[in-house]
Amino acid sequence: MPKIFDRVAVESWQRDEIIQKFPREGLGDIKLGSQLIVNPGETAVFVRGGEAMGTFTPGRHTLTTENIPMLTNLLEAGLFGGANVFTADVYFVKTTDLTLKWGTVNPIIVEHPQRMPGASAIVGNGTYVTKVKDPWRFLNAMDAFRPSVRFQEVKARLDPMLAIMIADKMSELAIAKGLGPAQLQSFTKEINEMLVGLLQEEFDAIGMVLVDFAINMSLHPDSLKVVTNMGYGTSYTQKQQADALMAAASNPSGGALSEVGFGAMGMAAMQQQQLVQQQLLQQQQQAAQQAAAGGQAPAGGTPPAAPSGGMPMPDVMTPEQAATFLQVSLPDVMAAIEAGDLKAKKIGAAYRISKANLEAFLGG
């Protein structure tokens, strides 16, 4: 025969126990007018049929239909056999701070579509402090309707959830703030504070509050390799640009890159183009000097080879670079490509021309 309780309280907590059911085993038949004792750092939730009957904060409470209104209808319906008792499970939930260690098992992928290579791999470790704010929501989110729930069980549920939360919220930040690998390389306090603000919304959804967040995060040492293997930034051009950016981000003297981001890539391309033009000008000046001294310029109008120590023709060129080497306009190069006279490889929406094909075009 079920025992009828006239006192409801946790007599003792097991080590690392966060949730304890009363009674631990079986049904709880509780007499109306019984005393409920909720100690500091606890909350008691009465549950029947999957519904919350009432929640009680620390203190001594006399159980009546006034503080558990649901009982009125249940008693009138005769669900308890007319006796002055009711049946319910009582879950005591600790509401004190929980300090949890956390670290990435696998890199967290942060997407930043507007910055090459489209994503970064982040790693992190440290501790965070949280506590239960809404016990009923917490019980449901953790599926914790059991006789006892321990610290490690909650941690096992929170760890993968936190990884998903961080990945989602950091991607939101990267898109909203225009962050790329250079900024994520030096994860700033400001970014960390913005992340905590966004994470709090997620903790609210599971009935908890984020008290403190001391997790250090940084770019994975092989971030480019990780995200490339996952399908981000796989084109030749994207990979080359990403390689250059990652090298600059790891260069102590390249700190300004964190502010200008990939704008530096455009500057680098402009500088390269200027160097090519300067090299061609030097070649033309040397050819003129040779002609004045009785030398002969190369036949067929082909530009002379780069002098020793100069910039040679690259193995793969853009149409713009080919136009510079040919000393013609870009439309002329594009017309030759479209006519099939100059063979080029189309990658996405861009053309790439090999040195061999350009030389074959000149020889033809």
Side-chain angles (χ1 to χ4, degrees):
M1 183 176 179
K3 181 179 178 180
I4 298 176
F5 298 95
D6 57 9
R7 183 177 185 275
V8 179
V10 172
E11 298 301 332
S12 65
W13 287 91
Q14 296 183 17
R15 184 177 179 272
D16 291 338
E17 196 173 24
I18 295 175
I19 297 171
Q20 186 178 137
K21 175 181 170 290
F22 180 94
R24 280 189 180 270
E25 303 295 338
L27 299 175
D29 285 351
I30 303 168
K31 183 185 295 185
L32 279 177
S34 296
Q35 294 298 297
L36 167 66
I37 311 299
V38 184
N39 294 312
E42 299 174 358
T43 297
V45 182
F46 283 67
V47 180
R48 177 181 170 80
E51 295 185 31
M53 300 174 69
T55 300
F56 295 83
T57 55
R60 180 183 290 269
H61 307 271
T62 301
L63 300 176
T64 67
T65 55
E66 291 183 3
N67 50 27
I68 309 182
M70 184 184 291
L71 287 176
T72 302
N73 295 334
L74 295 177
L75 290 169
E76 290 177 354
L79 294 181
F80 306 118
N84 197 28
V85 299
F86 64 95
T87 302
D89 292 323
V90 185
Y91 292 91
F92 286 85
V93 181
K94 280 188 176 179
T95 55
T96 52
D97 288 355
L98 304 174
T99 301
L100 298 98
K101 292 183 179 180
W102 184 83
T104 48
V105 177
N106 298 306
I108 292 174
I109 304 303
V110 179
E111 295 187 344
H112 39 79
Q114 77 278 38
R115 295 290 188 94
M116 302 290 280
S120 295
I122 301 295
V123 291
N125 64 81
T127 62
Y128 66 102
V129 181
T130 184
K131 66 180 180 180
V132 178
K133 179 177 68 173
D134 185 333
W136 175 243
R137 182 174 292 179
F138 175 74
L139 284 165
N140 282 278
M142 294 291 112
D143 190 22
F145 297 100
R146 300 189 295 280
S148 176
V149 177
R150 310 292 284 272
F151 181 92
Q152 287 300 323
E153 294 178 72
V154 173
K155 185 178 186 302
R157 295 293 298 273
L158 284 178
D159 279 0
M161 291 173 64
L162 184 61
I164 294 172
M165 292 177 188
I166 291 176
D168 289 345
K169 298 308 175 183
M170 285 186 66
S171 292
E172 286 183 22
L173 274 178
I175 294 171
K177 302 294 181 179
L179 305 180
Q183 290 79 12
L184 296 173
Q185 174 78 15
S186 54
F187 200 82
T188 65
K189 181 181 178 181
E190 180 184 2
I191 295 176
N192 204 67
E193 289 174 351
M194 289 189 291
L195 175 61
V196 171
L198 293 173
L199 286 176
Q200 185 56 68
E201 299 175 7
E202 300 295 329
F203 275 81
D204 286 341
I206 59 175
M208 304 188 79
V209 60
L210 191 59
V211 179
D212 191 24
F213 189 81
I215 294 174
N216 299 315
M217 284 179 285
S218 60
L219 206 62
H220 189 285
D222 293 321
S223 175
L224 181 60
K225 180 179 179 181
V226 172
V227 299
T228 299
N229 289 340
M230 296 182 69
Y232 294 93
T234 53
S235 76
Y236 175 82
T237 303
Q238 289 175 327
K239 191 174 187 304
Q240 292 298 100
Q241 291 179 338
D243 284 338
L245 182 61
M246 296 301 294
S250 61
N251 184 354
S253 64
L257 189 60
S258 64
E259 296 180 2
V260 300
F262 266 92
M265 298 305 299
M267 182 67 72
M270 291 176 60
Q271 292 173 345
Q272 182 183 15
Q273 188 77 357
Q274 290 172 355
L275 287 173
V276 171
Q277 292 173 346
Q278 291 173 1
Q279 182 63 53
L280 288 173
L281 180 60
Q282 291 174 0
Q283 293 172 2
Q284 292 170 359
Q285 291 174 344
Q286 289 175 357
Q289 291 173 357
Q290 290 174 359
Q296 297 296 321
T302 304
S308 176
M311 179 180 292
M313 183 185 297
D315 292 333
V316 179
M317 290 166 278
T318 65
E320 291 85 352
Q321 290 173 319
T324 300
F325 276 101
L326 294 174
Q327 300 183 40
V328 298
S329 67
L330 176 59
D332 291 335
V333 173
M334 295 305 297
I337 292 173
E338 292 170 0
D341 298 330
L342 174 58
K343 296 188 180 301
K345 181 72 173 178
K346 191 170 186 180
I347 304 174
Y351 283 102
R352 292 296 179 266
I353 305 163
S354 68
K355 176 181 178 181
N357 284 343
L358 187 60
E359 290 176 341
F361 173 73
L362 291 173

